[in-house]
């Protein structure tokens, strides 16, 4: 496996440079947010809606769940308390928010490097793969999820590492039982819904095999998955809280699931398309939505600048183009990222998870599937045979990268200024 992924020394150097660049960038641009919380500690603490967690900034409907430690357990995040417990103890005993900033910046930077490798082994040129990885790395979702201690950075990394291995297994026609089961348990443990598109990807990986063989393999994978989950449940019983996610199953569904569901209405929820598809690329304007809970979210009353709509929807169109071209060319791997994105659309716009209070933000709800758009984007560019059209698309992406970088860096700073204004003048 090592020879497959790390066969090209130039790729290795490029991926390492991406990792260092974005890890340093995430830390540098987010330190001012932590300094703000230190400076206005009393104000932030007084309006903290998160049960006294050290991260009291209610931004984009994030929940600093990693601070809940061993109590961070529900059917929504079945096994995340196994890592949240030790991590919260480390944070509370020393660096606090800086600990999570460093850790999650490393995770997001590693996700960017992983994406570069996946794009390269999918047939993308080094230049285009680097360009797309940079666009992913500088996206708004990556900037904010790198410092707010919620599960999003971990869920995204879990999915990317799964795709990383699945791509190798598909290329080599391998179907290892325990590794595939372990990846399933990893995704299920961080966020339960992740296991559904992951399971679909595992099934699609075997689509060309005989049905009897497939059923046998999947049965063994399912059995191994259940054994791993049972072992993790036993670990939970030995932890300080001493309970498993099963014991809070129904309460987790009601409090973390059913209360957030509403049917999609075009007249009421049309801006949810921006929140799910455009804002993860380009940072939105923010406003104080609810002073009682200090909820700061996307300002839906403000019109989006025309360039945000142009670049945001162009990106989505290119993503759709990549899926269509890959599907027509019978490239099985094109179905996998399409599956992740399709499940996200189904969960949030068909089932309607999050629509009941989408004014508090859907911006980050589906962000851990965000990377799949970049895989399809690369496939679309690869499918273009006419050099002048390909050059035109690449040139457009260069402009998109420059505009996104400038927009996001400026708005990242402006968001902090607006937050400071809100706390100084409205939250006192």
């Amino acid at each position: 496996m090592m020879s497959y992924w790390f066969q090209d020394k130039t790729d290795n150097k490029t991926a390492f440079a991406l990792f260092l660049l974005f890890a340093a960038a995430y830390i540098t641009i987010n330190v001012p947010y932590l300094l703000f919380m230190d400076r206005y500690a009393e104000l932030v603490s007084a309006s903290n809606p998160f049960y006294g967690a050290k991260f009291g900034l209610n931004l984009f409907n994030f929940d600093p769940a990693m601070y809940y430690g061993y109590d961070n357990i529900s059917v929504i995040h079945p096994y995340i308390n196994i890592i949240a417990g030790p991590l919260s103890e480390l944070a509370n005993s020393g660096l606090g928010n800086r600990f999570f900033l460093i850790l999650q910046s490393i995770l997001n930077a590693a996700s960017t490097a992983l994406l570069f490798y996946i794009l390269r082994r999918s047939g993308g040129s080094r230049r285009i793969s680097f360009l797309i990885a940079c666009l992913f790395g500088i996206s708004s979702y990556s900037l904010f999820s790198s410092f707010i201690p919620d599960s999003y950075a971990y869920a995204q990394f879990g999915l990317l590492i799964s795709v990383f291995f699945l791509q190798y297994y598909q290329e080599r026609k391998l179907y290892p039982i325990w590794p595939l089961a372990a990846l399933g348990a990893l995704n299920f443990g961080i966020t339960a819904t992740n296991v559904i598109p992951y399971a679909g990807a595992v099934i699609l990986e075997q689509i060309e095999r005989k049905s009897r063989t497939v059923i046998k393999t999947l049965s063994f994978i399912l059995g191994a998955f259940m054994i791993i989950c049972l072992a993790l449940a036993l670990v939970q019983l030995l932890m300080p809280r001493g309970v498993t996610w099963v014991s809070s199953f129904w309460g987790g569904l009601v409090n973390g699931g059913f209360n957030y569901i509403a049917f999609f209405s075009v007249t009421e929820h049309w801006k949810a398309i921006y929140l799910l598809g455009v804002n993860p690329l380009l940072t939105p304007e923010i406003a104080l939505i609810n002073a009682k809970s200090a909820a700061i979210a996307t300002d839906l009353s403000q019109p989006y600048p025309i360039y945000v709509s142009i670049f945001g929807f162009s990106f989505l169109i290119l993503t759709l183009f990549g899926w269509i071209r890959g599907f027509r060319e019978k490239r099985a791997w094109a179905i996998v990222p399409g599956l992740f994105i399709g499940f996200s659309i189904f969960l949030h716009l068909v089932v309607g998870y999050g629509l009941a209070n989408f004014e508090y933000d859907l911006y980050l709800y589906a962000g851990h599937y965000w990377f799949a758009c970049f895989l399809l984007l690369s496939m679309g560019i690869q499918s273009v045979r006419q050099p002048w059209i390909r050059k035109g698309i690449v040139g457009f992406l260069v402009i998109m990268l420059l505009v996104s970088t400038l927009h996001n860096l400026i708005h990242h700073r402006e968001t902090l200024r607006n937050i400071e204004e809100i706390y100084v003048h409205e939250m006192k």
Side-chain angles (χ1 to χ4, degrees):
M1 182 180 292
M2 296 291 287
S3 61
Y4 173 80
W5 285 110
F6 307 117
Q7 58 188 267
D8 191 308
K9 291 184 179 179
T10 305
D11 282 351
N12 296 337
K13 292 177 182 177
T14 304
F16 188 61
L18 281 169
F19 171 77
L20 291 179
L21 171 66
F22 282 102
Y26 296 144
I27 293 171
T28 301
I29 66 176
N30 284 314
V31 162
Y33 280 82
L34 305 190
L35 294 177
F36 159 79
M37 284 189 283
D38 290 342
R39 182 181 178 185
Y40 295 100
E42 290 187 9
L43 283 176
V44 173
S45 176
S47 57
N48 185 348
F50 301 125
Y51 313 105
K54 285 187 177 180
F55 192 100
L57 189 60
N58 188 1
L59 179 60
F60 295 127
N61 210 26
F62 263 119
D63 188 356
M66 300 307 291
Y67 267 118
Y68 300 157
Y70 297 108
D71 292 329
N72 183 14
I73 182 171
S74 71
V75 66
I76 307 299
H77 307 288
Y79 298 115
I80 201 169
N81 72 324
I82 293 176
I83 62 170
L87 291 181
S88 64
E89 287 187 349
L90 286 171
N92 287 321
S93 64
L95 291 174
N97 292 324
R98 289 166 179 78
F99 170 77
F100 283 113
L101 169 60
I102 294 169
L103 174 62
Q104 292 173 195
S105 294
I106 289 172
L107 277 179
N108 278 2
S111 293
T112 302
L114 278 175
L115 180 69
F116 172 77
Y117 275 120
I118 294 169
L119 294 175
R120 285 289 287 137
R121 297 301 169 264
S122 298
S125 70
R126 185 177 296 113
R127 182 186 62 170
I128 294 176
S129 297
F130 177 79
L131 172 63
I132 293 174
C134 286
L135 187 62
F136 170 75
I138 200 62
S139 63
S140 182
Y141 176 82
S142 296
L143 300 183
F144 282 101
S145 63
S146 62
F147 84 102
I148 306 178
D150 205 341
S151 62
Y152 291 96
Y154 308 85
Q156 176 180 262
F157 184 78
L159 286 174
L160 265 164
I161 200 71
S162 299
V163 172
F164 185 82
F165 281 102
L166 284 174
Q167 184 170 333
Y168 169 77
Y169 295 145
Q170 185 195 51
E171 182 75 20
R172 294 292 190 266
K173 303 298 180 184
L174 299 173
Y175 312 99
I177 303 302
W178 287 100
L180 289 172
L183 289 171
L186 172 67
N187 285 293
F188 175 70
I190 298 174
T191 300
T193 52
N194 277 8
V195 78
I196 297 175
Y198 171 79
V202 172
I203 294 170
L204 288 170
E205 186 190 31
Q206 307 183 61
I207 199 167
E208 296 179 354
R209 304 175 75 198
K210 294 181 180 179
S211 57
R212 184 177 297 179
T213 304
V214 170
I215 292 173
K216 182 180 179 181
T217 301
L218 293 177
S219 297
F220 280 127
I221 293 172
L222 179 60
F225 170 80
M226 294 177 69
I227 291 172
I228 295 171
C229 287
L230 178 60
L232 292 174
L234 292 175
V235 171
Q236 287 182 320
L237 287 175
L238 297 174
M239 296 174 78
R241 177 77 185 274
V243 296
T244 71
W245 63 272
V246 179
S247 61
S248 61
F249 182 83
W250 183 252
L253 282 180
V254 173
N255 297 325
F258 296 151
N259 286 346
Y260 293 92
I261 292 176
F263 290 109
F264 180 79
S265 166
V266 175
T267 56
E268 292 182 28
H269 304 127
W270 67 271
K271 282 197 174 182
I273 305 299
Y274 276 90
L275 300 179
L276 290 170
V278 175
N279 287 357
L281 179 64
L282 295 154
T283 300
E285 301 285 347
I286 61 102
L288 180 64
I289 305 299
N290 187 336
K292 291 183 179 179
S293 60
I296 298 166
T298 301
D299 189 354
L300 295 174
S301 67
Q302 295 292 324
Y304 282 89
I306 186 64
Y307 73 89
V308 168
S309 298
I310 290 173
F311 284 108
F313 283 102
S314 295
F315 177 80
L316 296 179
I317 291 169
L318 288 171
T319 296
L320 178 62
F321 170 74
W323 182 80
I324 292 172
R325 292 299 292 263
F327 190 82
R328 285 182 175 176
E329 294 177 8
K330 298 182 179 179
R331 295 178 61 182
W333 193 241
I335 302 174
V336 173
L339 180 68
F340 285 109
I341 297 169
F343 178 75
S344 174
I345 293 172
F346 172 78
L347 181 65
H348 296 295
L349 297 183
V350 178
V351 175
Y353 180 68
L355 289 181
N357 62 344
F358 90 108
E359 68 275 11
Y360 283 83
D361 249 314
L362 287 175
Y363 165 35
L364 300 159
Y365 272 39
H368 41 291
Y369 304 121
W370 179 237
F371 74 92
C373 293
F374 297 85
L375 297 178
L376 293 177
L377 175 62
S378 176
M379 290 178 189
I381 296 174
Q382 291 175 46
S383 71
V384 176
R385 301 289 179 253
Q386 297 84 350
W388 66 272
I389 296 179
R390 179 181 287 204
K391 288 181 180 179
I393 295 175
V394 171
F396 182 76
L397 287 179
V398 170
I399 296 172
M400 186 185 294
L401 174 61
L402 295 174
V403 171
S404 298
T405 301
L406 187 63
H407 173 94
N408 288 344
L409 292 180
I410 291 174
H411 275 69
H412 206 72
R413 183 183 61 190
E414 289 299 318
T415 297
L416 179 56
R417 287 181 179 175
N418 290 338
I419 290 172
E420 186 170 353
E421 185 84 7
I422 287 169
Y423 270 90
V424 171
H425 297 290
E426 298 186 51
M427 299 302 296
K428 281 189 175 181

